[in-house]
Amino acid sequence: RLIGSSHHIITNHCIDVLSTMGSCCGGKESKKGFCPFSLFLFAATASAFAYHKLQQKQSRDESAGAEATKPQVVFVLGGPGAGKGTQCELITERQSGWAHLSAGDLLRAERNSGSKLAELINSKIASGQIVPAEITVGLLEKAMEDIMAKDAAVTKFLIDGFPRSEGNVTTWKSQMSDKADVQFVLFLDCPEDTMTSRLLERAKTSGRNDDNIDVIRKRFVTFREESMPIVNMYEAEGKVRKVIADRDVEEVYKDVARLTEDL
């Protein structure tokens, strides 16, 4: 098919070969008027040219295929207790093609895995150091790859609790800019008193040691100082979609769904 579709290109390309080979057999031609060696070179050159064009086409198709399967990402940000996890769960349950990834959950799971990476993460936390952004982004990338490998229908990801700092943003762009497309940042805007009430209520059943009032206050400070500048940065780029989150879960979801259903 390729040779047929490129016949005129191949013919023009090979005429030069025949013209330069007119005396290839010492001036002796076949009964049909062509030197046998010239005919051989013509066929060989045509085949090589066709193969070259086929390789180019396959390369373009592979590039187009990779672009088409590049996952879409929505970063979900908001203070502790804003309802990030709840809204992400509702989206994945009610809309097809979505998967939910929590940067915090991935780190906690890796810490408990017993791997060498777990040792590094635990040593950083034990010494009061921040886990390198490269580790978090690497875990997110692997999680996306694993999910898409298991279910080809999943091409959209809600990543909640990330990015939390400028370092997160820089690392994501350097490692993932050509592997995933960030569509927008979903910011769940919720007052701290509402978030505090939710977290204290959650503490009754969550078993999380960071759901106590002292830690909660520290988490709010961290969010204001580190994460809100990231929200503001993306807002300046026109990528933030803000949803008021101190309402009934279903009311919040209606506004969130209007944003995600279009992707």
Side-chain angles (χ1 to χ4, degrees), residues 103-117:
D105 287 348
L106 288 173
L107 280 171
R108 281 187 284 272
E110 190 63 31
R111 288 182 66 187
N112 296 325
S113 69
S115 67
K116 290 185 178 180
L117 186 58

Side-chain angles (χ1 to χ4, degrees), residues 58-238:
Q58 288 177 337
S59 178
R60 289 194 299 269
D61 289 346
E62 288 173 0
S63 297
E67 186 69 24
T69 57
K70 186 186 289 188
Q72 298 179 76
V73 170
V74 171
F75 292 142
V76 184
L77 297 178
K84 300 183 295 296
T86 299
Q87 292 302 319
C88 288
E89 288 176 9
L90 290 175
I91 293 169
T92 55
E93 289 172 3
R94 300 177 184 182
Q95 299 179 35
S96 61
W98 285 99
H100 170 214
L101 295 175
S102 165
D105 287 348
L106 288 173
L107 280 171
R108 281 187 284 272
E110 190 63 31
R111 288 182 66 187
N112 296 325
S113 69
S115 67
K116 290 185 178 180
L117 186 58
E119 294 177 9
L120 175 59
I121 295 172
N122 287 323
S123 67
K124 290 288 184 182
I125 293 175
S127 60
Q129 296 177 302
I130 296 174
V131 175
E134 290 78 7
I135 291 178
T136 306
V137 173
L139 291 173
L140 288 168
E141 180 181 3
K142 184 178 184 303
M144 286 192 289
E145 289 175 349
D146 290 346
I147 290 172
M148 289 191 294
K150 293 177 182 176
D151 187 352
V154 175
T155 59
K156 299 173 287 188
F157 292 87
L158 299 155
I159 300 182
D160 99 61
F162 182 93
R164 292 178 180 268
S165 66
E166 187 175 345
N168 286 170
V169 175
T170 301
T171 302
W172 174 272
K173 288 181 177 179
S174 65
Q175 293 184 204
M176 299 296 294
S177 59
D178 61 341
K179 300 176 183 178
D181 287 328
V182 177
Q183 299 300 305
F184 59 85
V185 174
L186 173 61
F187 176 49
L188 299 179
D189 192 9
C190 192
E192 288 188 5
D193 57 347
T194 300
M195 292 190 288
T196 300
S197 298
R198 290 176 178 176
L199 291 173
L200 291 176
E201 184 64 27
R202 184 176 74 180
K204 297 177 182 178
T205 56
S206 70
R208 288 178 51 165
N209 58 14
D210 57 351
D211 281 346
N212 66 75
I213 191 63
D214 292 331
V215 176
I216 287 170
R217 287 169 179 163
K218 291 178 182 178
R219 291 170 67 193
F220 285 155
V221 172
T222 299
F223 178 76
R224 287 196 302 268
E225 294 180 352
E226 295 186 14
S227 297
M228 276 308 299
I230 303 306
V231 175
N232 295 334
M233 180 195 74
Y234 278 115
E235 190 165 29
E237 296 177 6

Side-chain angles (χ1 to χ4, degrees), residues 24-89:
C24 66
C25 298
K28 296 179 181 179
E29 297 182 339
S30 70
K31 291 181 180 180
K32 293 185 178 180
F34 287 99
C35 167
F37 187 54
S38 296
L39 290 173
F40 168 77
L41 284 177
F42 178 87
T45 304
S47 297
F49 184 76
Y51 177 76
H52 175 67
K53 298 296 289 183
L54 178 61
Q55 291 293 94
Q56 287 183 324
K57 182 178 183 300
Q58 288 177 337
S59 178
R60 289 194 299 269
D61 289 346
E62 288 173 0
S63 297
E67 186 69 24
T69 57
K70 186 186 289 188
Q72 298 179 76
V73 170
V74 171
F75 292 142
V76 184
L77 297 178
K84 300 183 295 296
T86 299
Q87 292 302 319
C88 288
E89 288 176 9

Side-chain angles (χ1 to χ4, degrees), residues 246-259:
D246 61 341
R247 298 174 292 159
D248 177 77
V249 170
E250 291 296 335
E251 289 299 313
V252 175
Y253 175 74
K254 287 180 183 178
D255 289 345
V256 171
R258 293 190 188 99
L259 300 171

